[in-house]
Structures are given as C-alpha cells and as structure tokens.
Amino acid sequence: AGEKKTEGFSRIRDILLSENVELVVLARFMQIVPPDFCDAFKGRIINIHHSFLPAFIGANPYRQAHDRGVKLIGATCHYVTSDLDCGPIIEQVVERVSHFHSPADLARLGRDCERSALARGIRYHVNDRTIIDHSRAIVFPD
C-alpha cells in the first residue's frame, strides 16, 4: 500500500505542476501528505479541520466533545506542512455551544465553522492577503 501511495502522490504532483496549479485545498482529505510533496507546494496547500485537534482525535469528535461538555467548537484553516496539522494558521472560526446542543447540533455548527474558515482562508490566500513567517501566517483581512 505504501508503494502505491507514493506513486499516487507522485502522479498528483506531476499533474499539479503541469497544470500550474496555484492552490491545493485538502478539505476532508484525511491523508498524511509526504514531506517532498509539502516542499514542492510550500505555501500553496491549505487544509481545514475542526478545532478539536488534538483534544478529540479519531472517530466521532463531536460525540466526544458533547460527552465532555465543550463550550466552544470551531474550525482552523491552515497551510499544510510536513508536520501534521501544525502549519501556519490562516483563519479560525468558533461558535459558542451549550448543554442543550446535541452531538448532531455540534456537527452542524462545526461544519458551518469549517465552511466559513475555509472560504476566508482561500480568499485571503488568492488575494495575496497572507505572508508566511516561519511557523505562523500573517493575515491582512479584507
């Protein structure tokens, strides 16, 4: 499986380079991006995830959050680096929740946060509103 994954990322890299792709969005990608791929597209790959990481990893993060009684949920849009989910943060969106919200409510509100954070992150990037400064992104909101 590892050999096929390496071959797959190599093919994807070749396609992206031949098409002069300016931005790659990994929404719901759920794969670890190899370091050489990250290097080839440094500052041009964006990911979105719920802000529970690393608190609630694995399956059913909204159920886990509900069971723990979280008060805030949200999403983080960031640049992808070879360090998993540790790239410079472009945008974050949070929503206050309460005891009466079900896990389904948390998931719905979380998806809304993800959409908003991703849309803003993409907009800031494509409009040259971000500067990557080592491990952080400096963002000039519009």
Side-chain angles (χ1 to χ4, degrees):
E3 197 171 293
K4 285 192 178 276
K5 188 178 244 184
T6 300
E7 181 182 315
F9 273 106
S10 179
R11 289 182 59 209
I12 292 168
R13 181 178 47 250
D14 292 345
I15 292 168
L16 296 175
L17 290 171
S18 71
E19 296 296 325
N20 295 315
V21 171
E22 294 180 26
L23 179 65
V24 178
V25 179
L26 300 180
R28 306 234 185 261
F29 188 64
M30 304 301 288
Q31 297 288 321
I32 295 174
V33 180
D36 62 320
F37 193 95
C38 292
D39 291 342
F41 298 97
K42 187 175 182 174
R44 295 189 295 155
I45 307 173
I46 289 178
N47 191 18
I48 183 75
H49 59 74
H50 59 78
S51 288
F52 297 137
L53 293 172
F56 304 114
I57 58 174
N60 302 310
Y62 291 104
R63 164 63 66 191
Q64 294 176 55
H66 179 266
D67 292 347
R68 291 286 307 278
V70 299
K71 308 302 183 238
L72 294 172
I73 61 164
T76 298
C77 178
H78 65 92
Y79 287 107
V80 173
T81 65
S82 57
D83 296 322
L84 183 62
D85 290 330
C86 292
I89 295 170
I90 305 166
E91 178 66 295
Q92 292 179 300
V93 175
V94 295
E95 182 79 30
R96 182 162 287 284
V97 296
S98 191
H99 63 279
F100 56 80
H101 287 108
S102 69
D105 292 332
L106 297 183
R108 178 181 48 79
L109 293 166
R111 284 189 303 272
D112 289 347
C113 291
E114 289 177 25
R115 281 189 285 271
S116 294
L118 182 60
R120 285 186 204 144
I122 292 170
R123 186 173 74 235
Y124 297 154
H125 176 86
V126 301
N127 290 310
D128 295 320
R129 312 288 299 168
T130 64
I131 298 171
I132 298 175
D133 179 33
H134 301 287
S135 61
R136 63 187 200 143
I138 300 168
V139 180
F140 301 94
D142 42 31

